[in-house]
Amino acid sequence: MAKSLPKQTRAVIVGGGIAGCSIAYHLTKLGWSDVVLLEQGQISCGTTWHAAGLVAQLRATHSQTNLAKYTKDLYERLEAETGQATGYRQTGSISLARTPEREEELKRQAAMAAAFDVEIERISFDEVTERAPMLRTDDLTAAYWMPGDGTTNPTDTAQALAKGARAGGATIAEGVKVTNILTGNGRATGVVTDQGEIAADTVVLCGGMWTRDMARPLGVTVPLHAAEHMYMVTRPLEGVIRGQPVVRDMDGYIYIKEEVGGLLVGGFEPTAKPWGGDGIPDGFEFQLFDEDWDQFDIFLQNGLHRIPILENAEVRQLLVGPESFTPDNRYILGEAPTVDRLFVASGFNSVGIQSAGGAGMALAEWIVDGAPTMDLNDIDIARFHDFQINRKYLHDRTTESVGLLYAMHWPFRQPDTARGARRSPIHEKLAAEGACFGTLFGWERPNWFAPNGTTPEYEYAWGRQNWFEHSAAEHQATREAVTLFDQTSFAKFLVQGRDAEAVLQEVCAGDVAVVPGRAVYTQWLNERGGIEADLTVTRLAEDQYIVVTAAAAATHDFAWLTRHIDDRFVTVTNITSGMSMLGLMGPKSRDLLTALGNKNMSNEAFPFLASQEIEIGYARVRAQRITYVGELGWELYVPTEFTAHVYEALTEAGQDFGLRPAGYHAMDSLRAEKGYRHWGHDITGVDTPVEAGLGFAVGWNKNVDFIGRAAVEAQRGKPTPKRLVLFKLEDPKPLMYHDEPIYRDGERVGAISSAAYGHTLGASVGMGYVHHEDSVNADYLSAGTFEIDVAGERIPATASLRPFYDPTNERIKA
């Protein structure tokens, strides 16, 4: 075996589960025959071999759905292409609802499915029992049918992908253990195995539950934790139809699949059993855990309820094996932010079989092209923060995240576990004010504030939740008086050095060659003109800038910037932990800062986008006149140790101006009214500033060939067949969230990318990309009638290219 391993290859893949085999297969399809896949055991060992083999199309986001749809299409043709049986069958699937709340979720999923071109329909209970006669239906409220779903044999499918990869020239070596990843000059250079070293231009880690510990020595964060996943298989049962649909009874935490005339019953329990936090034992390849009927009891009882014939079934096996889960239930894909040419595909949260085809295709294209060819933001490895590989954090979150797969997917749902990791210096003060905190990448952030006598806890619903009116009051106070937002979680990078301007001018689409004390709103683009970041860059001195971006984008944006420094004299320091950020917003914000002794706050002395130092109490604070809520306001940057004092000074003086704290729900509703984009939803790496209506932020006249310039210049002044459009529902009651289909004159033309309730406007407002082969412009919008599908009901909507609130920016520049 040692002699057969090459000393050098173009790409080496570590891990021969279904994801690794898919990546190898797709690399060869793209013309890379010089590929080596190494598996310490045998193909499909670890997790793949004992997966239930469900193949569903509809996922939580558009990008994940596209990858799942591709997977299904691939599996349909794979056996004919390779000659290797896969066991794939298009059985369809049925999702059941026991409650009106679950039915509402399925209605919204059905609308979302239409936006994603996935077939789904509501069916009668007679149709349910016609397709799956053994099911009890008398306690159900609804059922939905997805004819395109199916099942496959995971081991056979992995073998088919491996066979296809070999046919394309790839070398697949089993029984070879990788002991170390080689790096040099900030990039992956190969691997060390128990049979020698292999040099490689690209290294791909897809070792399942082993991946976290393989990546850790390299400083690469792969936050995943294994948990016990279990299902029961019966012997053949009378009344079971061969090839009958997969059934999901999520209110009962279970899924049901026909298996050789019997039934396979598994699920995702509310309190899971994490495993392997201290490492995965050597040789754990085709091993299982001991049967645990106590843990399985919740599935058994719900299975007996839904399938009464189970009571007389003969159990062939209770299979208990490990699956890897991530803190946010989204899998991990992409290039490591800290090591070039090191790619990761792992943490599939029990959807690896139904995702592997698309994930392998997407990552292979990324490897070959050097950049993603589609929007992968929601599964990009760069979304995570370093602390998230903390073992206790992962263990505690995994107890909950497994069950969240089938729990009600409420809007704004917050996890209960692994909380309190990151807090701003005024956390306790905000808690005393009645803050109800949400969490984002470990940050505890005030989402809304409960008045005296009200408990600051979520009561989830699909309609107006218990915080709706409280957040509306915060929204109104921002529009009419003044509010204080704790934005400490926003990421802040200090960029210093004699080449700071040169680097930022290349990275920024906007012109940042401004005088010190000036802020610039800008995007960072990729070579295709897609938006990689949406942020502000403020010049502090000739050789010093501060970059401020969203908390969720911290790792991604830091990596993007540092990757483009090359050998120039620039340093980038993440100063987020050393500096808090408070947003003072509203028409009375100037009066409040003036009352604190700052006499030069006028529009002339402190214009929009100016950045100056002011005094608040005993502290020196950098005040930046900018807003994400569409009102006069300042972002206040405060050294961490002064934050509590500054907060006290502001709240004391603010009593005379009606100051009140406000949370992130209010910020979201305010920015939605103003049409401010949200990176990751409204703007991503596949959307350009021209398409997003952000051409005003591009430095068209600057004499710098910034990244993506050629691509956006080619769109400038041309017809725009894809354009971000703002929408306001004409009915004040329905609530949009995201992914609702957009119809023009009865034809589907797009989907909502983000939305919130506009309390000033008195209706839901949102935005989404509209597609028209000629051009999406004001004439096109005015000539059509628009509707938004909200949970199966088409609601008339007004479409606009301009913000519905303050379209001329009079208020922010007052």
Side-chain angles (χ1 to χ4, degrees):
M1 177 66 74
K3 293 181 180 179
S4 67
L5 289 180
K7 296 297 182 182
Q8 187 166 356
T9 186
R10 198 170 190 180
V12 62
I13 300 168
V14 183
I18 196 166
C21 292
S22 177
I23 295 165
Y25 170 89
H26 285 94
L27 282 174
T28 64
K29 290 295 184 183
L30 294 172
W32 281 32
S33 58
D34 190 9
V35 173
V36 175
L37 184 150
L38 304 175
E39 167 54 52
Q40 64 180 347
Q42 296 176 354
I43 294 299
S44 84
C45 73
T47 295
T48 296
W49 72 277
H50 62 73
L54 309 186
V55 182
Q57 301 170 85
L58 188 60
R59 303 299 306 152
T61 67
H62 196 178
S63 58
Q64 291 180 57
T65 298
N66 282 339
L67 299 183
K69 287 169 59 182
Y70 174 89
T71 300
K72 175 251 187 187
D73 293 341
L74 173 64
Y75 292 172
E76 283 184 330
R77 65 177 189 267
L78 195 58
E79 182 173 337
E81 176 191 332
T82 65
Q84 165 69 47
T86 63
Y88 176 78
R89 295 182 297 178
Q90 184 172 316
T91 61
S93 71
I94 301 172
S95 291
L96 307 176
R98 298 190 186 191
T99 66
E101 292 78 13
R102 182 68 75 177
E103 181 179 6
E104 175 75 8
E105 179 180 57
L106 293 177
K107 284 181 181 178
R108 289 181 176 269
Q109 285 184 350
M112 182 177 73
F116 299 166
D117 292 318
V118 174
E119 187 178 353
I120 182 173
E121 63 174 316
R122 194 180 195 276
I123 59 174
S124 70
F125 299 138
D126 286 342
E127 291 174 293
V128 171
T129 53
E130 180 182 343
R131 292 179 170 95
M134 77 293 185
L135 292 180
R136 174 185 173 184
T137 62
D138 62 326
D139 63 332
L140 298 175
T141 61
Y144 280 78
W145 165 244
M146 298 185 67
D149 287 355
T151 65
T152 199
N153 181 302
T155 296
D156 290 346
T157 305
Q159 291 287 359
L161 289 166
K163 186 174 181 180
R166 289 190 188 97
T171 298
I172 297 180
E174 299 176 299
V176 179
K177 183 174 182 178
V178 173
T179 58
N180 192 22
I181 310 299
L182 298 174
T183 61
N185 298 319
R187 62 178 293 141
T189 60
V191 299
V192 178
T193 79
D194 56 2
Q195 299 181 29
E197 292 187 9
I198 302 176
D201 300 326
T202 299
V203 177
V204 188
L205 300 182
C206 40
M209 53 193 172
W210 286 270
T211 308
R212 181 193 66 199
D213 292 337
M214 282 194 293
R216 187 192 296 265
L218 308 175
V220 175
T221 299
V222 182
L224 56 83
H225 198 296
E228 294 185 15
H229 179 59
M230 55 194 71
Y231 57 77
M232 176 184 76
V233 183
T234 77
R235 298 198 181 278
L237 281 165
E238 186 177 350
V240 173
I241 300 175
R242 294 299 299 268
Q244 70 181 30
V246 171
V247 177
R248 294 178 178 86
D249 181 3
M250 292 181 287
D251 293 314
Y253 318 111
I254 59 173
Y255 58 81
I256 305 156
K257 169 193 170 187
E258 182 268 327
E259 184 82 358
V260 197
L263 293 176
L264 181 154
V265 180
F268 302 98
E269 67 271 46
T271 304
K273 289 180 65 177
W275 176 82
D278 294 327
I280 310 301
D282 288 338
F284 197 94
E285 295 161 5
F286 286 103
Q287 292 179 257
L288 295 171
F289 304 125
D290 293 337
E291 294 183 347
D292 188 343
W293 286 99
D294 289 338
Q295 185 75 7
F296 190 77
D297 187 63
I298 190 170
F299 305 133
L300 180 60
Q301 297 307 319
N302 278 284
L304 288 168
H305 173 82
R306 185 60 52 214
I307 318 160
I309 62 172
L310 273 182
E311 186 173 357
N312 299 317
E314 182 182 351
V315 177
R316 182 157 58 90
Q317 182 183 23
L318 175 59
L319 186 147
V320 187
E323 295 269 4
S324 294
F325 293 85
T326 62
D328 59 5
N329 269 349
R330 290 178 273 143
Y331 55 89
I332 302 170
L333 203 71
E335 188 174 15
T338 53
V339 181
D340 291 349
R341 302 307 295 176
L342 178 70
F343 291 84
V344 176
S346 195
F348 280 91
N349 302 282
S350 209
V351 296
I353 305 304
Q354 63 189 272
S355 304
M361 175 270 294
L363 195 66
E365 291 182 350
W366 191 338
I367 291 168
V368 172
D369 292 358
T373 59
M374 60 192 74
D375 174 25
L376 300 175
N377 166 67
D378 58 322
I379 51 178
D380 190 345
I381 185 176
R383 71 188 185 271
F384 290 114
H385 292 239
D386 291 345
F387 89 94
Q388 290 181 284
I389 55 171
N390 176 283
R391 282 184 168 85
K392 179 171 174 52
Y393 171 86
L394 288 171
H395 174 277
D396 293 351
R397 177 59 58 82
T398 301
T399 63
E400 178 185 18
S401 60
V402 174
L404 291 180
L405 290 171
Y406 274 15
M408 190 72 69
H409 300 96
W410 298 115
F412 312 106
R413 180 164 189 158
Q414 302 296 322
D416 296 321
T417 55
R419 295 294 299 267
R422 308 171 79 184
R423 310 181 197 184
S424 89
I426 57 172
H427 176 88
E428 298 304 326
K429 294 181 181 294
L430 297 175
E433 292 284 344
C436 183
F437 294 96
T439 185
L440 182 73
F441 295 103
W443 281 105
E444 294 293 319
R445 312 200 311 174
N447 280 348
W448 57 279
F449 287 83
N452 288 336
T454 304
T455 303
E457 294 179 358
Y458 279 94
E459 296 175 9
Y460 296 116
W462 285 104
R464 300 184 178 190
Q465 297 185 7
N466 63 316
W467 50 266
F468 184 88
E469 296 299 335
H470 308 319
S471 186
E474 299 165 23
H475 180 116
Q476 182 180 8
T478 308
R479 293 278 185 245
E480 298 177 357
V482 59
T483 52
L484 188 64
F485 295 88
D486 182 10
Q487 297 174 250
T488 298
S489 61
F490 277 52
K492 311 157 201 82
F493 311 143
L494 187 63
V495 184
Q496 302 177 93
R498 73 184 187 206
D499 294 330
E501 178 186 306
V503 170
L504 286 170
Q505 280 287 74
E506 290 181 13
V507 172
C508 296
D511 190 350
V512 298
V514 294
V515 298
R518 184 75 175 171
V520 178
Y521 168 60
T522 185
Q523 286 76 45
W524 294 350
L525 310 181
N526 55 41
E527 293 293 349
R528 298 183 179 92
I531 299 171
E532 291 290 339
D534 181 68
L535 38 72
T536 59
V537 176
T538 303
R539 191 165 205 162
L540 305 180
E542 287 300 317
D543 60 351
Q544 190 176 93
Y545 291 82
I546 186 170
V547 174
V548 180
T549 189
T555 302
H556 173 278
D557 292 359
F558 189 88
W560 185 267
L561 179 56
T562 55
R563 274 187 164 130
H564 290 93
I565 291 175
D566 299 323
D567 58 353
R568 288 175 287 191
F569 288 87
V570 176
T571 61
V572 183
T573 307
N574 188 337
I575 60 171
T576 304
S577 297
M579 182 175 289
S580 299
M581 176 178 167
L582 304 177
L584 191 70
M585 299 291 158
K588 296 184 179 180
S589 56
R590 176 183 285 125
D591 298 335
L592 173 51
L593 291 175
T594 301
L596 284 164
N598 299 287
K599 303 303 182 184
N600 294 319
M601 304 303 295
S602 69
N603 203 36
E604 294 72 28
F606 209 135
F608 184 62
L609 294 178
S611 179
Q612 302 175 18
E613 284 196 339
I614 65 173
E615 295 181 354
I616 299 179
Y618 304 134
R620 296 283 294 171
V621 173
R622 174 160 294 278
Q624 194 150 292
R625 190 174 163 195
I626 200 167
T627 177
Y628 191 53
V629 299
E631 296 293 339
L632 173 70
W634 279 263
E635 292 175 350
L636 306 175
Y637 297 91
V638 189
T640 299
E641 69 271 25
F642 285 98
T643 308
H645 169 68
V646 169
Y647 174 83
E648 291 163 355
L650 286 169
T651 52
E652 181 179 354
Q655 294 178 16
D656 295 335
F657 301 95
L659 177 70
R660 64 180 296 164
Y664 279 84
H665 289 334
M667 181 179 289
D668 194 41
S669 62
L670 290 157
R671 71 97 194 167
E673 284 190 332
K674 193 67 175 69
Y676 287 151
R677 281 63 166 157
H678 187 285
W679 187 81
H681 291 91
D682 309 310
I683 46 179
T684 71
V686 298
D687 310 309
T688 71
V690 174
E691 295 166 340
L694 296 173
F696 68 88
V698 176
W700 302 108
N701 296 322
K702 73 176 184 178
N703 189 28
V704 176
D705 187 20
F706 58 85
I707 299 169
R709 178 163 195 156
V712 293
E713 287 277 12
Q715 291 184 331
R716 188 183 184 193
K718 305 287 179 59
T720 312
K722 168 189 171 186
R723 182 66 159 81
L724 193 67
V725 177
L726 282 64
F727 294 93
K728 179 173 75 71
L729 297 185
E730 295 178 11
D731 185 339
K733 294 181 181 179
L735 299 180
M736 295 188 292
Y737 295 115
H738 56 78
D739 294 322
E740 292 86 356
I742 302 167
Y743 290 88
R744 180 185 183 271
D745 296 341
E747 178 185 355
R748 181 164 50 82
V749 293
I752 295 295
S753 51
S754 74
Y757 195 86
H759 299 286
T760 309
L761 301 173
S764 270
V765 287
M767 59 194 82
Y769 286 94
V770 171
H771 301 262
H772 177 57
E773 59 184 8
D774 293 333
S775 184
V776 178
N777 52 34
D779 290 340
Y780 171 79
L781 297 183
S782 62
T785 300
F786 285 87
E787 298 172 307
I788 310 297
D789 185 335
V790 180
E793 182 179 357
R794 295 189 186 181
I795 311 298
T798 302
S800 175
L801 295 177
R802 304 182 73 201
F804 293 107
Y805 180 80
D806 189 26
T808 60
N809 292 330
E810 292 180 8
R811 296 182 69 86
I812 66 174
K813 296 182 178 180

